[in-house]
Amino acid sequence: GKVADYIPEIATVDPDQFGIALVDLKGNVFGVGDHQKPFSIQSISKVHTLTMVFKAFNSKLWTRVNVEPSGDPFNSIAQLEYEKGIPRNPFINSGALVITDALCSNFDDPLVQLTDFINELAGQTCVKINQEVMRSEKNHGERNTAMAYFLKSYKNFNNPIEEVLDVYFSQCAIEMSCVDLARSFSFLANDGYSIFANREILTESNARRVNALMLTCGFYDEAGEFAFRVGMPGKSGVGGGVAAVMPHKFSIAVWSPELNEKGNSVKAIRALELLTDKLKFSLF
Ligand code: GLN
């Protein structure tokens, strides 16, 4: 694979790193390799923002974002015009921008509250926003900026564009280790209840919906292949991370920076494929 280079600051990471951490429903952690090393979670943060907004909006949210796989790359703008400014799903960039816009409408201090929320999910203070990565993406953010203006032209964007983009680039620049990331996804393996936060994060049926979205849309135009090879709901990021859940069993995070042409980590997917094969775990 190849390290993502459209965000220059990310292109500087050592490509040979690999870490994996599994967290069971009792909170036991099993990890190897670079599993304690923080990395740029990028689009995996779209699951955290969706979870925050899901509660605030409930069903109204789904008039602004659809729940269909796109079959297009994560940063594609093409479908947005045919579909009149309603993004296919919350995990492609256009959909995530709508979610971050909703976050800005519903929370007074969205970035601080997002950070607090992820720390709460992980059960410890672990979230750090890498300002260099944030600025690096902002300086090369033409596509996401174009998408935000396009959404606004369809009246599917309510807050000032620069403000929302700053939050979006910052959420993408969050750094966490595999261990903390797996902990923060644990509630999705546990019917919406977080054993680290000691509370219900989403209702059981809404947690299932987030998992359904991860299964069908979490890997963009490679979602089918991930379901075929691994068989778990999960979400990737261009930092090389993948977070996934096996409902009622465990959550897991894998990281290795080199990506395939779809923008998903080659080794993370391969590792999950081997793991689910060996353990005979699959949703299906
Ligand atoms: N920050 C990246 C972007 O918006 C996130 C993309 C990803 O991780 N797939 O392009």
Side-chain angles (χ1 to χ4, degrees), residues 4 6-7 10 40-46 73-75 91-94 96-97 133 137 140-141 143-144 147 168-173 218 220 235-241 259 262-264:
Y6 77 101
I7 304 172
I10 288 196
S40 194
I41 71 167
Q42 292 294 322
S43 284
I44 300 173
S45 66
K46 292 169 182 170
F74 64 88
N75 58 2
F91 294 149
I92 50 174
N93 285 10
S94 56
L97 286 164
V133 172
E137 182 165 12
H140 296 83
R143 267 191 106 86
N144 285 319
M147 233 141 10
Y168 175 79
F169 293 138
S170 300
Q171 77 180 60
C172 290
Y220 318 112
K235 182 75 204 79
S236 64
V238 291
L259 310 178
K262 312 269 170 141
N264 299 319

Side-chain angles (χ1 to χ4, degrees), residues 225-247:
E225 170 122 0
F226 188 79
F228 186 81
R229 285 173 55 191
V230 178
M232 292 167 86
K235 182 75 204 79
S236 64
V238 291
V242 170
V245 295
M246 185 58 70

